[in-house]
């Protein structure tokens, strides 16, 4: 009788390991925005995608899509100072945002209370 339970537990552990591996691999990829290009960002209850972005200094046009089931926003900050932010975005909607960025590292995050609890953020590197 214990074999089916053990087999299910082994399958569950294997599935969990595969999911964690896929998430870690996906989170490590860096998206590069060419000079004068537009950055497409998706925000949902669990993440900002892409999570790592490289861009050039200057004006950065960003299209933010809410792919979640709740309202989200996107804030870009540098050393704790907001550089740009969207209003709350309803599920399935897009908002255009323009940010003027200089060289440095910026935090991209949703400032909605639930999003901060689940760690909805990404990094924007400007060179």
């Amino acid at each position: 009788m214990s074999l089916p339970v053990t087999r299910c537990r082994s399958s569950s552990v294997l599935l969990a390991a595969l999911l964690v591996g896929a998430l870690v691999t996906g989170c490590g990829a860096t998206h590069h925005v060419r000079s004068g290009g537009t950055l497409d960002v998706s925000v949902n209850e669990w993440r900002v995608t892409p999570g790592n972005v490289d861009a050039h200094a200057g004006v950065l046009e960003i299209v933010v899509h809410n792919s979640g089931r709740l309202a989200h926003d996107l804030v870009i900050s540098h050393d704790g100072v907001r550089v740009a932010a969207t209003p709350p975005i309803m599920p399935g909607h897009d908002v255009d945002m323009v940010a003027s960025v200089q060289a440095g590292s910026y935090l991209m995050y949703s400032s909605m209370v639930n999003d901060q609890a689940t760690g909805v953020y990404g990094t924007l590197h400007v060179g």
Side-chain angles (χ1 to χ4, degrees), residues 1-2 24 28 30 34 49-50 57 61 64 71 73 76 80 84 87 89 98 110-111 121:
M1 287 287 180
S2 65
V24 169
T30 299
R34 61 181 171 75
T49 305
E61 294 184 30
V64 184
D73 64 354
I76 297 179
I89 306 166
V98 176
S110 177
S111 67
Y121 65 91

Side-chain angles (χ1 to χ4, degrees), residues 45-127:
E45 288 78 17
W46 305 106
R47 68 181 50 102
V48 172
T49 305
N52 294 305
V53 177
D54 281 341
H56 297 278
V59 176
L60 181 61
E61 294 184 30
I62 305 167
V63 177
V64 184
H65 175 73
N66 181 349
S67 60
R69 294 188 283 168
L70 302 172
H72 301 284
D73 64 354
L74 185 71
V75 176
I76 297 179
S77 68
H78 180 64
D79 292 334
V81 177
R82 283 184 179 212
V83 174
T86 67
I89 306 166
M90 297 309 293
H93 288 88
D94 297 324
V95 170
D96 295 336
M97 177 171 63
V98 176
S100 180
V101 293
Q102 303 303 316
S105 185
Y106 295 76
L107 183 63
M108 301 185 300
Y109 64 94
S110 177
S111 67
M112 308 300 272
V113 174
N114 293 343
D115 293 341
Q116 290 185 359
T118 58
V120 178
Y121 65 91
T123 304
L124 169 64
H125 302 282
V126 178

